[in-house]
Amino acid sequence: MLTVVIGPPAAGKSTWCREHTGPDDIIIDYDLLANALAAPREGESKHEHAKGVKAVTKAARQAAIDKAITLRDVDVYLIHSTPSAQLLSKYRNYGARIVTVDPGMDIVMERAKAERPWQMQQVVKKWYRDNGMPAKPGKVSPRKRGLDTKHDNQRTHLLSIHLDGTLCFWCGKPMYRDPLRNPDRAPLEADHSTARSLGGKIADRLLHMRCNRSRGDGRRDHLRPAIANTPGQEPLTTRDWLD
Ligand SMILES: [Zn+2]
């Protein structure tokens, strides 16, 4: 079984792997490989590596992956911060399960500042931008959008009873708890089927983040992609979503 462990830098992916593996399991971790290959130097960050070390590490890592995916009856854990959508689907074709380790941007930024080279903070911000979370939480805070703790709790409840693969009302595509399995690679949002502006009191279903925001107050529901995909028309594909 191949497990691909993804998440922002300093999320705790290595720690997660250590806690979830047995003595016969394999962990493919770029940083550990690099540290094994580099000559030890006192007092230097173990997350910064020379150009030559990086090149050799990359080759060693790829060789390890190529061999690992051919092994049966061995549990392999591959740490990969931000695989491309193509690479993720390749991993899935090998039957991989994808685990996201993400303790939240505040914690990750704090750790990155304390433990990583300063450039890493930009990488963390980019990870959250690319994964559909606002880089500055204050900017699009839930409170500003008129929501509150009750709404957050309701979303948590809806997620707890959510069956992966349930189709999204707006686009008709499957919805997943794992953000990276969704067409917009973002976490699901709780939606009011009767818009709040029209008297809807409680969020009663989940939608893809992008779909929830496209839907607005529901006045264009009859134009939603799920019913626009009538037979004879080319259906929307994941490619359409990846911009
Ligand atoms: Zn959708």
Side-chain angles (χ1 to χ4, degrees):
M1 172 83 166
L2 173 65
T3 301
V4 181
V5 182
I6 62 175
K13 296 186 290 296
S14 303
T15 309
W16 187 94
C17 284
R18 275 198 301 277
E19 286 167 356
H20 289 80
T21 45
D24 295 335
D25 297 342
I26 293 164
I27 302 176
I28 303 176
D29 180 334
Y30 180 94
D31 279 335
L32 289 181
L33 282 173
N35 289 326
L37 290 166
R41 283 194 218 174
E42 212 56 47
E44 268 187 32
S45 162
K46 59 181 169 53
H47 298 287
E48 262 173 313
H49 304 290
K51 211 172 145 196
V53 172
K54 282 183 190 167
V56 175
T57 304
K58 220 178 141 191
R61 179 177 175 276
Q62 193 55 53
I65 295 171
D66 291 345
K67 183 66 191 177
I69 56 182
T70 68
L71 299 177
R72 300 278 161 238
D73 309 322
V74 178
D75 283 326
V76 178
Y77 292 77
L78 169 62
I79 296 181
H80 198 149
S81 186
T82 45
S84 65
Q86 287 89 335
L87 198 49
L88 265 184
S89 76
K90 193 177 150 199
Y91 289 144
R92 284 209 187 88
N93 290 342
Y94 282 109
R97 68 172 176 145
I98 314 287
V99 171
T100 307
V101 177
D102 176 19
M105 180 156 168
D106 290 347
I107 295 173
V108 171
M109 277 305 272
E110 238 170 69
R111 277 191 209 151
K113 277 177 194 163
E115 301 165 12
R116 302 293 160 106
W118 62 271
Q119 300 93 323
M120 213 38 108
Q121 294 169 37
Q122 298 309 317
V123 183
V124 170
K125 284 179 190 161
K126 185 175 184 308
W127 194 91
Y128 282 99
R129 267 203 310 276
D130 293 349
N131 287 278
M133 282 154 250
K136 284 184 185 158
K139 238 180 175 175
V140 206
S141 80
R143 206 164 291 279
K144 244 186 198 158
R145 293 176 50 225
L147 306 176
D148 53 18
T149 316
K150 202 176 129 201
H151 179 79
D152 290 344
N153 292 342
Q154 178 62 8
R155 176 178 176 273
T156 306
H157 167 68
L158 289 170
L159 275 173
S160 75
I161 57 171
H162 174 72
L163 280 177
D164 269 348
T166 303
L167 301 182
C168 169
F169 166 79
W170 184 258
C171 70
K173 292 177 183 302
M175 300 185 289
Y176 298 100
R177 275 195 200 85
D178 175 358
L180 290 168
R181 293 184 72 187
N182 291 321
D184 57 359
R185 303 183 93 216
L188 299 174
E189 285 190 344
D191 174 53
H192 300 69
S193 59
T194 302
R196 276 173 297 133
S197 58
L198 302 172
K201 291 256 183 289
I202 192 149
D204 51 0
R205 67 180 170 199
L206 296 167
L207 294 183
H208 296 121
M209 178 189 280
R210 194 182 296 193
C211 297
N212 186 34
R213 294 175 185 193
S214 301
R215 179 174 178 252
D217 64 5
R219 261 179 286 196
R220 295 180 305 120
D221 276 0
H222 60 293
L223 297 173
R224 67 189 192 270
I227 49 176
N229 283 335
T230 45
Q233 270 190 309
E234 196 64 18
L236 281 176
T237 66
T238 312
R239 284 186 68 84
D240 297 321
W241 290 94
L242 295 174
D243 296 326

